[in-house]
Amino acid sequence: MSAVPAQGATRRWWALAFIAMAQFMVIMDTSIIGVALPEMQTDLGFTQGNLSWVFNAYVVAFGGLLLLGGRLSDLFGAKRMFSAGWAVLAAGSLMAGLAGEVWVELAGRAVQGAGSALIAPSALTLLMMLFGNEPRELTKAFALYGAAAPAGGTAGVFLGGVITEYTSWPWVFYINIPVAVITLIAIPRLMPTAPARRGSVDLVGALTVTAGLGAIVYAVVRAPEVGWGAGQTWLVLAAGLLLTGLFIAVQARRGEPLMRLSIFRTPGLAGANLAQLLLAGAWIPMWFFLNLYLQQVLDLGAFQSGSALLPMTGAVMLMMIVAAPRLMNRFGAKAMIVAGMTALAAGMLWLSFIRPDGSYAVDVLPASLVAAVGMSLAFIPSLGTAISSARPEEGGLASGIVNTSYQIGSALGLAAMTAIAAGQGAEKLGDVSALTDGFSAAFIGAAAVAAAGAVLATLTLRKPRREGDSTSTTAAEPAVSN
């Protein structure tokens, strides 16, 4: 991924602001709907079991199409795909906001995810084009870009509460439209242009990985309703696994695959991606069920619920920007990932002690802050390690893979915890004891996922070689050095 000559310091940093905003917005769209879910459930007729598909429809499309988005960015130019992604995201947001039926809402969310899958890889490509010639500035740009993701995810919870309380739930989608318009106006002036190059698009690979992921998530979500022993559950699950296997087989045989499988032989890359997958698989279910507990058990309104999670949002942003980089430079990426995943597991295990007659100050606040610290410690080191472990010319591919890992972890983690919660009583709306038991079981399951992440990070990650190792010398390395 070659860099282009600087366009002027001021213009480049303005361009970075829009690139970071893109990362902020595509991740915010996974979390901003959390507080609005109960109102959407009432207005559109979602069941408790399929409510999670408001989230999953977005992340399945986003995660499944990210590799295709990266490939299209390489072939047709990052600037063009960045613009196309914002246009698609705006269209999906309008569709989701205007939806009057469940299927329309889910279709709109899927279109949003497709737009985000074009935006995310092209944004990092543009960042590398703007700052790749100056390693010191690239390190700063990469840090700001990385911090935008968790900031967007956590800020979305609070913004969702404000919007739902003072307007109505469709505005959690409409908020994307003016941002998209402003960005589309700014792109021609700020973003660099790179020539397109020849190559083929692996549509078969894109379709199989998206369909496979969707089938697996659907099987897990539906299992509590139709039964884990039902033929339908295992048939759909088998189809998903078969499609995923077909995707891997296609990638191994194609000359120009969406994902070159041999990249996983790079030291550190596979372990860091596994950490991102498990981190998402634990973190996303936590805020999903925490929102439901605040509103359905503690009976908080949408604004109150969003405000209740604001301390967690502030803790994540503070830790990400101020504390995590310093701690990482002192203790190293591996130690940070292990410590972060362990703290996240501890916070969610603490949350599992929630009570039907509990209180925010006792049952939610302290445990959520511990979980926030854990997420903050683990996120940037695992993201940075996943990208800097690859060769410089494969930075875009590495970014696409790690984004895919996070989104797949989000979808499968939420699907699994939804199944666990439903099996323990979370389907019984109005029965606060049953709801609490279900949510508690989901927190325990998410804690187990985070604990598994800590163990696997200990086993799979190692210190990179410092001298003469081309896999450890990208400009992003100072942010993740050991």
Side-chain angles (χ1 to χ4, degrees):
M1 191 185 305
S2 60
V4 297
Q7 303 157 286
T10 301
R11 181 176 295 184
R12 283 192 304 151
W13 289 104
W14 272 109
L16 176 62
F18 279 96
I19 291 170
M21 175 60 70
Q23 178 76 337
F24 181 93
M25 293 297 292
V26 300
I27 301 300
M28 186 183 74
D29 277 334
T30 66
S31 64
I32 195 170
I33 53 95
V35 178
L37 287 175
E39 290 192 15
M40 294 174 66
Q41 183 177 12
T42 300
D43 290 351
L44 299 180
F46 281 96
T47 67
Q48 189 78 350
N50 66 22
L51 186 61
S52 65
W53 276 97
V54 179
F55 174 85
N56 284 331
Y58 177 87
V59 298
V60 169
F62 185 17
L65 295 173
L66 267 167
L67 296 177
L68 177 62
R71 178 67 174 161
L72 293 175
S73 178
D74 288 339
L75 291 179
F76 299 107
K79 183 177 181 179
R80 184 176 298 174
M81 286 301 102
F82 194 61
S83 297
W86 277 106
V88 173
L89 178 65
S93 300
L94 182 62
M95 184 178 181
L98 293 174
E101 298 182 36
V102 168
W103 74 268
V104 179
E105 181 62 44
L106 298 184
R109 288 291 284 165
V111 173
Q112 281 188 304
S116 296
L118 296 177
I119 292 172
S122 58
L124 185 58
T125 301
L126 290 169
L127 185 151
M128 296 295 290
M129 292 170 64
L130 286 163
F131 295 94
N133 282 336
E134 302 181 37
R136 289 186 180 180
E137 290 194 351
L138 179 60
T139 300
K140 296 177 183 177
F142 180 77
L144 291 172
Y145 175 87
T154 51
V157 175
F158 177 71
L159 290 175
V162 173
I163 291 170
T164 304
E165 182 76 13
Y166 290 106
T167 55
S168 59
W169 65 261
W171 284 95
V172 302
F173 303 114
Y174 295 153
I175 191 175
N176 291 325
I177 297 175
V179 177
V181 171
I182 293 171
T183 304
L184 287 169
I185 293 172
I187 287 172
R189 292 181 55 84
L190 295 177
M191 300 301 172
T193 301
R197 61 185 180 88
R198 294 182 178 180
S200 61
V201 178
D202 182 11
L203 291 178
V204 173
L207 290 174
T208 52
V209 70
T210 304
L213 174 61
I216 292 171
V217 173
Y218 181 80
V220 175
V221 170
R222 287 276 294 168
E225 184 176 341
V226 301
W228 282 100
Q232 175 185 333
T233 299
W234 289 101
L235 184 62
V236 176
L237 186 59
L241 294 173
L242 181 63
L243 286 167
T244 304
L246 178 61
F247 168 72
I248 295 173
V250 169
Q251 301 312 290
R253 295 176 64 88
R254 284 188 66 92
E256 296 183 82
L258 282 178
M259 182 176 68
R260 182 176 61 81
L261 298 179
S262 59
I263 194 174
F264 288 102
R265 298 173 186 166
T266 304
L269 189 141
N273 274 278
L274 182 60
Q276 279 274 305
L277 186 146
L278 295 174
L279 179 62
W283 175 255
I284 296 301
M286 185 209 72
W287 68 255
F288 181 86
F289 287 104
L290 195 53
N291 271 306
L292 293 181
Y293 174 72
L294 289 169
Q295 294 188 58
Q296 295 181 350
V297 177
L298 299 189
D299 201 28
L300 298 183
F303 176 73
Q304 291 175 305
S305 178
S307 300
L309 296 178
L310 189 57
M312 184 171 68
T313 301
V316 169
M317 296 181 69
L318 184 64
M319 288 291 297
M320 285 281 184
I321 297 171
V322 178
R326 297 178 181 178
L327 292 172
M328 189 161 48
N329 286 332
R330 179 173 181 180
F331 297 105
K334 177 178 179 177
M336 290 283 289
I337 295 170
V338 173
M341 297 291 271
T342 302
L344 181 58
M348 285 185 294
L349 188 62
W350 192 347
L351 279 172
S352 71
F353 291 100
I354 53 175
R355 300 164 295 164
D357 58 348
S359 68
Y360 167 72
V362 174
D363 294 79
V364 175
L365 180 60
S368 68
L369 291 178
V370 172
V373 169
M375 197 275 184
S376 304
L377 293 178
F379 184 85
I380 289 181
S382 55
L383 176 67
T385 301
I387 295 176
S388 66
S389 294
R391 297 192 299 265
E393 63 271 22
E394 291 186 318
L397 174 61
S399 173
I401 292 172
V402 73
N403 273 297
T404 301
S405 297
Y406 191 87
Q407 295 307 320
I408 289 174
S410 299
L412 294 183
L414 182 56
M417 297 315 129
T418 297
I420 291 173
Q424 295 298 315
E427 287 281 343
K428 300 176 181 177
L429 289 177
D431 186 339
V432 294
S433 294
L435 286 171
T436 302
D437 289 342
F439 299 157
S440 176
F443 290 137
I444 293 174
V449 172
V455 173
L456 291 173
T458 302
L459 297 175
T460 59
L461 294 175
R462 63 183 184 183
K463 292 183 179 181
R465 289 172 288 173
R466 300 300 303 165
E467 300 294 337
D469 184 355
S470 62
T471 67
S472 304
T473 57
T474 68
E477 186 192 4
V480 296
S481 63
N482 283 347

